[in-house]
Amino acid sequence: MRIGIDLGGSKIEIVGLDESGRIRLRRRRPTPQGDYPGTLRTIGELVATIESELGQKGTVGIGIPGTESTIGKGIKNANSTWLIGRPLRDDLQQLLQREVRLANDANCFALSEAIDGAGQGAAVVFGAILGTGVGGGIVVHRQVLTGVNRIAGEWGHNALPELANESLLPRDCYCGRVGCIETWLSGPGLCADHARHGGASLTAEEIGARAATGDAACDATLQRYERRLASALAQVVNILDPDVIVLGGGLSNIERLYHAVPKLWAAHIFSDVVHTRLLRNVHGDSSGVRGAAWLWNDH
Ligand SMILES: [Zn+2]
């Protein structure tokens, strides 16, 4: 059995996958806010529960909103700030008495979709999360590409390429840079762009729904979004040349992106023909926890 854990800011989810990748059991608990020992204890209890209910032990993989630093073993880049600097993997290995594999949650998303989701059978998969933030992960031949700095696929904090037909005032990003892709292509980025063009204060979901029923202002906002997404993904294609790009996060539910963006990205891609497919995720909210389990793909 492969056990996957998704350590999120608000909940901790655990699943046990059988050999074929089917979820045999799923459990959820609220994340103990600001409480590192409590977080460890909760994970230990969840693993014990799943193993006793299913009557077998499993390998353990965990996805977190951050990554392990290359200096020491502390966690970095986590928005669950009580994890920062903590040797989470070491502590879990001691607690669970086995080797634990840990990865960024965007990498887990990409892995899950590469193994038995939208990217199944593809050699190179880029997973892009368009949600509260913008993240990404790369999977090559069913293995996560981590990178020497452990940031492979983190395209959200590249600057958005400037488009010929619009001049953008760069926006401050929480990371300290200006004009990051995340400030335009995240859900809050989409909403802010709509408001800046005189639109009402709407959620990303409402903008998508209204555009689908003929609202001209919402349609224009999505057209701007599609142009920016196409140029940002074209940079990924020019560097990585993936077979498949899978979208995740709340904005991946906007159906028109899958038709509009591939028509627009060709202009920015250095190739006569573009075979890269842009696909919606298959596993939805379960991708993170499933991908964490699949970190033990080689066993
Ligand atoms: Zn940034």
Side-chain angles (χ1 to χ4, degrees):
M1 172 172 65
R2 295 182 175 92
I3 294 173
I5 300 162
D6 185 10
L7 173 52
S10 58
K11 66 172 169 52
I12 301 173
E13 185 170 8
I14 186 167
V15 296
L17 294 191
D18 68 14
E19 274 303 306
S20 66
R22 232 189 331 261
I23 293 179
R24 294 189 57 201
L25 197 68
R26 181 198 299 267
R27 292 281 180 271
R28 268 182 207 151
R29 293 261 297 271
T31 306
Q33 298 294 316
D35 179 0
Y36 182 68
T39 300
L40 290 178
R41 201 163 48 241
T42 303
I43 292 170
E45 287 165 8
L46 284 167
V47 171
T49 300
I50 213 160
E51 292 190 330
S52 88
E53 285 192 41
L54 293 176
Q56 57 179 307
K57 282 182 80 88
T59 56
V60 175
I62 180 166
I64 63 160
T67 190
E68 224 168 18
S69 172
T70 49
I71 311 164
K73 291 180 174 177
I75 298 301
K76 68 174 178 182
N77 298 356
N79 51 11
S80 300
T81 49
W82 63 93
L83 299 177
I84 289 174
R86 301 286 194 163
L88 178 65
R89 194 165 56 84
D90 275 2
D91 288 342
L92 285 177
Q93 289 185 152
Q94 195 164 6
L95 180 72
L96 302 172
Q97 290 296 300
R98 73 196 81 175
E99 190 188 339
V100 171
R101 292 186 180 171
L102 178 148
N104 174 262
D105 50 8
N107 288 354
C108 291
F109 163 75
L111 182 60
S112 171
E113 291 296 327
I115 288 191
D116 60 357
Q120 187 171 15
V124 179
V125 174
F126 182 71
I129 296 184
L130 307 171
T132 313
V134 171
I138 298 168
V139 175
V140 180
H141 298 300
R142 295 162 59 94
Q143 296 290 327
V144 170
L145 184 72
T146 309
V148 70
N149 303 300
R150 299 189 183 136
I151 55 163
E154 286 297 342
W155 69 312
H157 299 279
N158 287 358
L160 183 78
E162 199 169 327
L163 293 170
N165 55 355
E166 63 177 337
S167 56
L168 298 173
L169 285 176
R171 298 159 73 182
D172 292 335
C173 184
Y174 78 90
C175 75
R177 297 170 187 83
V178 286
C180 290
I181 284 172
E182 176 164 309
T183 65
W184 299 101
L185 298 184
S186 63
L190 172 70
C191 299
D193 185 61
H194 186 67
R196 239 197 350 253
H197 281 80
S201 179
L202 299 173
T203 65
E205 203 178 357
E206 287 165 342
I207 293 170
R210 291 192 187 192
T213 57
D215 182 306
C218 290
D219 178 65
T221 297
L222 283 192
Q223 285 191 33
R224 290 192 300 277
Y225 186 87
E226 286 158 359
R227 283 200 300 272
R228 292 165 189 157
L229 180 58
S231 72
L233 287 178
Q235 295 197 318
V236 173
V237 175
N238 282 337
I239 293 167
L240 185 65
D241 203 3
D243 299 70
V244 171
I245 296 177
V246 189
L247 300 184
L251 300 188
S252 70
N253 296 320
I254 301 174
E255 193 55 46
R256 58 187 266 178
L257 298 182
Y258 303 97
H259 311 290
V261 171
K263 283 185 193 144
L264 296 165
W265 71 17
H268 309 287
I269 294 172
F270 189 58
S271 177
D272 53 352
V273 182
V274 181
H275 295 294
T276 304
R277 289 173 291 148
L278 181 68
L279 301 173
R280 186 179 183 155
N281 66 82
V282 166
H283 295 297
D285 290 343
S286 294
S287 272
V289 75
R290 293 173 56 88
W294 283 121
L295 291 171
W296 288 89
N297 177 24
D298 51 344
H299 280 244

